[in-house]
Amino acid sequence: MSEIDYAALILRCWVGVVMLAHGINHARSLEGTSRWFAKVGFRSPDLNARLSAFNEIAVGVILIAGFLTPVAAAAVAGTMLVAFWSIHRFAGFFVFRRPDEGYEYVATLAVAALVIAIVGAGRVSVDRALGWAENMDGWVGAMIWALGVVIGAGQLALFWRRPIQEVRS
């Protein structure tokens, strides 16, 4: 295995663990997650809470396995766009300006997902075992990642409206 294979495995698994943990956290309190989606301006908060929990759990497992890796990276990118646009962009770059609010975290995950999509799953992956890895990395992976951003923008267009009661600077 090359250094790139090791790096791809480490990055893919770490982002997968982060997404899995986040999804499990959402799933453990779907009612609370739904209330939070409603508070921050999402229509159909129950649907968004369930889809968010399912998406994050599935993406975490898929990234860890290295299965359809650029598709999973695209889902991370779309999720991070939704988080950035609906919450984090209002607080500025740094997380510490307002605890858990700055967008440095979501931007880092989105860029990590782009790297994963471009580099590919690496040698230790289901994609490689199935012979798909070489067909999905590089520019193809970057384009799939970009499609995830477009899908995230679609979710925002369909479901999100900035809450009137909350004005952030």
Side-chain angles (χ1 to χ4, degrees):
M1 267 191 6
S2 72
E3 291 85 359
I4 295 293
D5 289 317
Y6 285 115
L9 177 64
I10 292 166
L11 183 60
R12 194 185 81 227
C13 287
W14 177 247
V15 173
V17 165
V18 169
M19 295 302 292
L20 180 62
H22 206 86
I24 289 169
N25 189 47
H26 280 178
R28 287 177 50 191
S29 176
L30 279 175
E31 186 176 306
T33 301
S34 178
R35 280 193 308 270
W36 179 82
F37 270 101
K39 178 183 172 191
V40 299
F42 279 86
R43 288 188 252 150
S44 304
D46 291 341
L47 173 66
N48 277 281
R50 290 179 192 289
L51 289 175
S52 176
F54 173 78
N55 173 60
E56 291 168 354
I57 290 169
V59 164
V61 170
I62 290 168
L63 276 175
I64 292 166
F67 177 64
L68 296 173
T69 303
V71 174
V76 172
T79 301
M80 294 306 107
L81 173 67
V82 169
F84 166 78
W85 192 261
S86 62
I87 303 297
H88 300 282
R89 71 185 168 109
F90 301 111
F93 181 75
F94 295 107
V95 169
F96 56 79
R97 283 191 63 195
R98 281 194 200 169
D100 301 322
E101 290 293 330
Y103 62 85
E104 65 183 306
Y105 170 72
V106 296
T108 299
L109 282 177
V111 170
L114 177 58
V115 171
I116 291 166
I118 292 170
V119 170
R123 192 171 302 275
V124 180
S125 66
V126 173
D127 288 344
R128 178 61 66 110
L130 295 173
W132 298 350
E134 293 80 23
N135 298 325
M136 293 191 298
D137 58 7
W139 288 110
V140 172
M143 295 305 292
I144 294 170
W145 179 91
L147 180 61
V149 172
V150 170
I151 292 169
Q155 179 186 1
L156 287 165
L158 287 172
F159 293 107
W160 184 76
R161 300 292 179 265
R162 185 173 182 177
I164 296 169
Q165 74 274 13
E166 189 171 357
V167 177
R168 297 180 183 183
S169 56

